[in-house]
Amino acid sequence: MENLPHPDTIIDALSIDCVIFGFKDGRLDILLVKHGEGISAGKWALPGGWITYGESVDDAAKRLLNSLTGIRDIYLEQLKAFGDPNRYPSRRVVTVAYYALVNEENYALIPGFTASDAQWFSIHDLPPLIYDHDQILDYGYRQLKHKVRHEPIGFNLLPAKFTLLQLQELYEAILETKLDKSNFRRKLAKMKLLIDCKEKQKDVSHRAAELYKFDKRVYVTLRKNGMVFGL
Amino acid sequence: MENLPHPDTIIDALSIDCVIFGFKDGRLDILLVKHGEGISAGKWALPGGWITYGESVDDAAKRLLNSLTGIRDIYLEQLKAFGDPNRYPSRRVVTVAYYALVNEENYALIPGFTASDAQWFSIHDLPPLIYDHDQILDYGYRQLKHKVRHEPIGFNLLPAKFTLLQLQELYEAILETKLDKSNFRRKLAKMKLLIDCKEKQKDVSHRAAELYKFDKRVYVTLRKNGMVFGL
């Protein structure tokens, strides 16, 4: 394995786990890696691993995600430290979890380091996960649902110009619920977050819909001050 | 020292720190302990210490706060893990920080365990703190300010019946700013969070003001769904 840190260089009581949500074709996915070695070889897990003595915990999260899956340059937000005394099988390990929501199409998956595979899985069709990774994933998912109700959703999840239906499908995938179209549009209009591009979709087989884009000024303000999107 | 865990029973790369804000007489304070032993003896610090192998990280936070300061039965929320490689002087230690906001009058401070003293300090007049505790405190303070703009403020910080001026002073102490009285009252009224008790203050030297209490139903809903108090 490439770049495997020497055991003496890692903090043995502390690990990283990354809960990376991906959006593609109206579906919410989660990024998993297959362990290629060690006590859980062949099993699926959240991307994660050990922190070396010389790097910050934040830097370890970025390094591990990149070396295991090829994903780099995303904003990883710290989720929570999970510290149940029995969460790891062979010794005491506390894990610091991070999370992010990305547009899958912007990243190519390249398994590496201790991972023999890296894949997106539908959030509704997951393989069994090691340790307490299902609990970490559940917590991250609840946090994501909370976040999209209180901050404008990531800019980069949709094309620069998008339809209201595309935006609604993004919220529906994350919130796991069908939303009422007119109710959704009324609440959205109140936020004044969208600009009407005054143009329609092209090359679609159905009736072409109006295109919209985010008003960056409003976007930044809502991000800073928070909001309540009562979906 | 009472109940000092044996060095073999603690995780040496991981610690706890608690950022406990206190409110009293219109002033926001922070709880500090004086280290009674070790490399930082005689210095002031956030209450914290080591996690034993048998307890969860959450339980360690409760135990340490209680044994160092006497405070028990408060809801400690996890703030963030601080993981800079150079934050601790003699070896690599990542700390998991917790925070809370309490009414000082509900707690008696009883220094114990490794603390020779425990005191409330005005947030505007702090002694020098050890390690990166000023950064942890700053982060916790920013988080607290964010929280009071997006959730109803703690029930237990004011008397059961309070005046609008008392409530305004609580927000002013936390947000470190003078608020416009009529603007504050207008925004507050919109939330429909308060019930007019239809009675006035008694035994006050100034003109008696109207008393209010929280509407528990609205309180719970706002807590759950979030809100934006645009102060």
Side-chain angles (χ1 to χ4, degrees), chain A residues 53 55 78 81 92 150 225, chain B residues 53 55 78 81 92 150 225:
Chain A
Y53 278 97
E55 70 191 341
Q78 201 184 102
R92 181 72 194 270
H150 296 93
N225 295 345
Chain B
Y53 278 98
E55 71 191 339
Q78 202 185 100
R92 181 72 193 271
H150 297 92
N225 297 342

Side-chain angles (χ1 to χ4, degrees), chain A residues 11-14 51-58 78-85 92 94 96 98 146 149-150 224-228, chain B residues 11-14 51-58 78-85 92 94 96 98 146 149-150 224-228:
Chain A
I11 307 173
D12 68 356
L14 202 59
I51 302 161
T52 67
Y53 278 97
E55 70 191 341
S56 74
V57 176
D58 290 353
Q78 201 184 102
L79 183 61
K80 187 177 162 25
F82 290 80
D84 188 87
R92 181 72 194 270
V94 173
V96 181
Y98 286 78
H146 179 88
R149 287 189 162 108
H150 296 93
K224 183 168 161 279
N225 295 345
M227 59 180 213
V228 180
Chain B
I11 307 172
D12 68 356
L14 202 58
I51 302 160
T52 67
Y53 278 98
E55 71 191 339
S56 74
V57 177
D58 289 354
Q78 202 185 100
L79 183 61
K80 187 177 160 30
F82 289 80
D84 189 87
R92 181 72 193 271
V94 173
V96 181
Y98 287 78
H146 179 88
R149 287 189 162 108
H150 297 92
K224 183 166 162 278
N225 297 342
M227 58 179 215
V228 180

Side-chain angles (χ1 to χ4, degrees), chain A residues 186-202:
Chain A
R186 198 181 63 244
K187 287 179 174 174
L188 195 62
K190 266 202 220 166
M191 289 199 284
K192 302 184 195 327
L193 176 60
L194 300 188
I195 294 172
D196 186 341
C197 299
K198 308 281 186 195
E199 61 179 279
K200 293 198 175 197
Q201 286 179 298
K202 289 186 183 74

Side-chain angles (χ1 to χ4, degrees), chain A residues 135-160:
Chain A
Q135 282 170 253
I136 298 172
L137 172 53
D138 280 353
Y139 187 91
Y141 196 11
R142 284 205 303 278
Q143 199 59 28
L144 177 68
K145 288 176 179 174
H146 179 88
K147 197 182 173 78
V148 301
R149 287 189 162 108
H150 296 93
E151 282 179 27
I153 210 158
F155 245 122
N156 52 357
L157 296 166
L158 294 172

